[in-house]
Amino acid sequence: MTLLTSTNYIDSIKAHIDNVKLLSKYTSLLSPSPALLKDYCFSVCKRSDLTIGDRDILKTFLKSKSSDVEDILSALQKLDIDKFKPVQNFLNGKTIAPKNQTIVEIIALFYDFEPRPLGKYLGNANKVNREDLHEVVDREEEKVIVEEKEDRLETVNVPTGISSVVEESKVSGSKQNNSLKKKLIVGISSLVALIGGGYGVTKVAYFSDSDQCIVWEEDKYIPCDCAEGMTAYEQDKGNMPVRYNESLLKGFKRINVDCNTTFFKDNKPKVWFVKTGADQHEYFSSPGDGTHPTLNKTVKPVSQYHLNKYIYPNCP
């Protein structure tokens, strides 16, 4: 059985950085100073594709009073550049693993590492074969294609590390009553046997007695009972449920696009996509939490380049 920990998360981030650090988007981070890192953080905060999770990372790191972009920028403006020294030390190799998890998360955000944060990394379990287990770090970014002249990249990501779980915790018995199921914090998981050998990964989600869940079904999230959703997932009868999120439930849907679709408003994207195959994409009404609900790939905003290459050539 392969049990992943926060150490694996850091190792996967390092492997990702090694793969992308020479891309023009990240070269300013090759010899970072605290002042440079603060400036870079400003550029990250102003990105239009920040997810809820990204803003939470920034809120925690910057000690902002809220996850609103204005509050985050205000907190960053007041922040002493010394706050970025642990980030500098990690990127320069002076420290192997930051002791503060918020440092790890801000580095993951700076380099667009997915899946982030740690909870998502450990919670997105995938069925992988034995070859994946040994080669996943080397294949962390399998194919990078230039999407725009301004260094916009459309990346087909192989999930970094093995997006799996640290431990198995399962409520015994198939007919436990609800009060027992929801006592304290219950971990519901399943063991997936890997093809061709004695390797395995576990799938787990931690829900407290107050948690509600949603689950992806066809083209949108729908509400579900956490325990029932996990049971269906364990039996390969559904997708893994996630904690209730109003924004995902009401604002994140798979959509069809055509020549009449409004892709931008006030120069900002209104449609996001994930590449699913050769010249094949799925389109969404918002970036959601930044990750495709079942494929574990990054959701990206459409660009004019993308439209000119994949959409408009099919228009009459």
Side-chain angles (χ1 to χ4, degrees):
M1 180 184 297
T2 302
L3 301 179
L4 298 189
T5 68
S6 58
T7 300
N8 299 111
Y9 182 55
I10 293 174
D11 290 342
S12 296
I13 292 173
K14 289 179 179 177
H16 172 76
I17 292 174
D18 285 341
N19 280 331
V20 304
K21 64 185 179 182
L22 297 181
L23 297 177
S24 58
K25 184 177 181 179
Y26 307 111
T27 50
S28 62
L29 298 176
L30 289 175
S31 299
S33 66
L36 183 149
L37 289 169
K38 183 174 182 178
D39 289 342
Y40 188 85
C41 193
F42 268 111
S43 68
V44 171
C45 292
K46 295 176 181 178
R47 280 169 29 182
S48 62
D49 61 342
L50 286 177
T51 67
I52 296 172
D54 293 339
R55 293 200 299 271
D56 285 341
I57 290 173
L58 289 165
K59 173 188 174 184
T60 302
F61 177 77
L62 302 172
K63 298 187 184 303
S64 170
K65 63 181 181 180
S66 80
S67 57
D68 291 339
V69 174
E70 290 185 3
D71 287 336
I72 288 173
L73 288 171
S74 176
L76 178 57
Q77 184 70 42
K78 300 173 184 176
L79 194 71
D80 192 292
I81 61 172
D82 286 347
K83 177 73 173 180
F84 291 92
K85 282 189 176 179
V87 179
Q88 178 192 33
N89 290 337
F90 177 82
L91 296 179
N92 288 341
K94 292 183 179 180
T95 57
I96 297 176
K99 295 180 180 179
N100 190 334
Q101 185 62 29
T102 60
I103 303 300
V104 178
E105 303 300 0
I106 202 69
I107 293 169
L109 175 57
F110 280 7
Y111 278 96
D112 301 306
F113 171 81
E114 288 287 356
R116 64 177 184 268
L118 175 63
K120 182 182 287 188
Y121 175 83
L122 299 178
N124 282 271
N126 295 284
K127 294 179 180 179
V128 293
N129 57 34
R130 192 168 185 174
E131 179 183 1
D132 291 332
L133 184 65
H134 294 293
E135 297 182 3
V136 67
V137 171
D138 293 332
R139 299 186 296 116
E140 192 275 334
E141 295 236 345
E142 189 176 67
K143 184 180 181 184
V144 177
I145 43 184
V146 176
E147 165 140 292
E148 289 182 324
K149 293 180 180 179
E150 293 82 14
D151 300 317
R152 284 182 177 271
L153 300 175
E154 181 180 85
T155 305
V156 180
N157 289 311
V158 173
T160 308
I162 300 171
S163 296
S164 69
V165 188
V166 183
E167 58 183 281
E168 180 178 0
S169 176
K170 195 170 186 177
V171 178
S172 61
S174 61
K175 295 183 179 181
Q176 296 281 349
N177 59 49
N178 288 335
S179 61
L180 181 57
K181 284 183 180 178
K182 295 181 177 180
K183 218 171 186 180
L184 301 178
I185 296 178
V186 180
I188 306 173
S189 64
S190 64
L191 178 64
V192 180
L194 295 180
I195 300 174
Y199 293 88
V201 296
T202 56
K203 304 173 181 179
V204 67
Y206 292 103
F207 303 124
S208 72
D209 58 358
S210 62
D211 280 332
Q212 301 178 59
C213 284
I214 55 176
V215 65
W216 184 256
E217 186 173 288
E218 294 186 2
D219 60 355
K220 61 184 178 298
Y221 279 103
I222 62 171
C224 75
D225 178 83
C226 295
E228 290 178 0
M230 277 305 302
T231 298
Y233 174 67
E234 290 177 324
Q235 297 174 354
D236 289 326
K237 295 180 180 179
N239 298 311
M240 175 178 278
V242 297
R243 285 185 177 86
Y244 185 89
N245 183 308
E246 189 82 6
S247 178
L248 287 179
L249 182 64
K250 295 184 176 181
F252 183 70
K253 293 178 173 59
R254 187 168 63 222
I255 59 176
N256 295 319
V257 300
D258 57 30
C259 301
N260 297 318
T261 300
T262 300
F263 291 98
F264 299 97
K265 183 176 182 180
D266 298 329
N267 294 322
K268 294 182 179 180
K270 289 174 60 69
V271 176
W272 285 257
F273 74 95
V274 165
K275 187 178 181 70
T276 58
D279 296 338
Q280 295 180 342
H281 304 86
E282 288 185 0
Y283 297 91
F284 299 89
S285 58
S286 79
D289 63 0
T291 306
H292 189 285
T294 60
L295 298 180
N296 200 27
K297 292 183 177 182
T298 302
V299 178
K300 298 179 179 296
V302 295
S303 66
Q304 195 62 49
Y305 173 90
H306 179 90
L307 299 180
N308 291 341
K309 182 173 182 179
Y310 298 108
I311 303 297
Y312 294 153
N314 300 318
C315 296

